[in-house]
C-alpha cells in the first residue's frame, strides 16, 4: 500500500503538470496565448507539484496515525498494562509462575 501512495504522491502532480503544459502548448500553437504566458502557466503548475504531493502523503500519514491510535486505544482498554488507578488492573506486577527461559535452548559454544 505504501508504494501505491508514494506513486500517487509523485505521479498525480506530474500528470497534472503534463496535462496543463500540453493544454497551454496547444493554446500557444493556436495563438490564443503568448509564449510568455505559456512559460508562466508551466511555472505555476510546476510550483504546485510540491504542495499537492505533500498533501497526498500527509493524508496517507494521517490515515496511518489513526489506525495506530486505534490499536493503542484497544491495547490500553484490554487491561494488559499495569495501572495504579483502582479498577483498571493490578497495582503491582505479578511475577511469572515459572522461570522464563529463552526460546532457543541450545547452549552457547565454550570459548
Amino acid at each position: 500500500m505504501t508504494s501505491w501512495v508514494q506513486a500517487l504522491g509523485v505521479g498525480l502532480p506530474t500528470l497534472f503538470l503534463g496535462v496543463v503544459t500540453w493544454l497551454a502548448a496547444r493554446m500557444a500553437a493556436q495563438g490564443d496565448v503568448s509564449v510568455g504566458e505559456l512559460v508562466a502557466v508551466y511555472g505555476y503548475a510546476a510550483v504546485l507539484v510540491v504542495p499537492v504531493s505533500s498533501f497526498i502523503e500527509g493524508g496517507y500519514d494521517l490515515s496511518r496515525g489513526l489506525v495506530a491510535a486505534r490499536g493503542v486505544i484497544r491495547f490500553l482498554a484490554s487491561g494488559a498494562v499495569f495501572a495504579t488507578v483502582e479498577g483498571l488492573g493490578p497495582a503491582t506486577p505479578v511475577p511469572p509462575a515459572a522461570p522464563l527461559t529463552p526460546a532457543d535452548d541450545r547452549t552457547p559454544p565454550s570459548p
Side-chain angles (χ1 to χ4, degrees), residues 16-17 20-21 24 36-50:
F16 171 73
L17 177 63
V20 168
T21 304
E37 291 170 333
L38 171 66
V39 171
V41 167
Y42 175 78
Y44 181 72
V47 167
L48 283 179
V49 167
V50 173

Side-chain angles (χ1 to χ4, degrees), residues 4 7 12 16 27 30-31 33-34 37 41 61 83-84 104-105 108:
W4 282 99
L12 284 179
F16 171 73
M27 291 175 70
Q30 292 174 355
V33 295
S34 68
E37 291 170 333
V41 167
D61 290 339
T84 56
D104 188 6
D105 293 334

Side-chain angles (χ1 to χ4, degrees), residues 12-104:
L12 284 179
T14 305
L15 181 65
F16 171 73
L17 177 63
V19 168
V20 168
T21 304
W22 180 72
L23 290 173
R26 286 183 52 105
M27 291 175 70
Q30 292 174 355
D32 295 336
V33 295
S34 68
V35 174
E37 291 170 333
L38 171 66
V39 171
V41 167
Y42 175 78
Y44 181 72
V47 167
L48 283 179
V49 167
V50 173
V52 170
S53 176
S54 298
F55 181 72
I56 291 170
E57 290 184 22
Y60 177 66
D61 290 339
L62 181 63
S63 69
R64 287 180 58 195
L66 288 173
V67 170
R70 285 188 192 125
V72 169
I73 289 171
R74 195 174 325 121
F75 174 73
L76 293 175
S78 71
V81 295
F82 300 112
T84 56
V85 178
E86 193 171 307
L88 292 180
T92 57
V94 178
L100 300 176
T101 59
D104 188 6

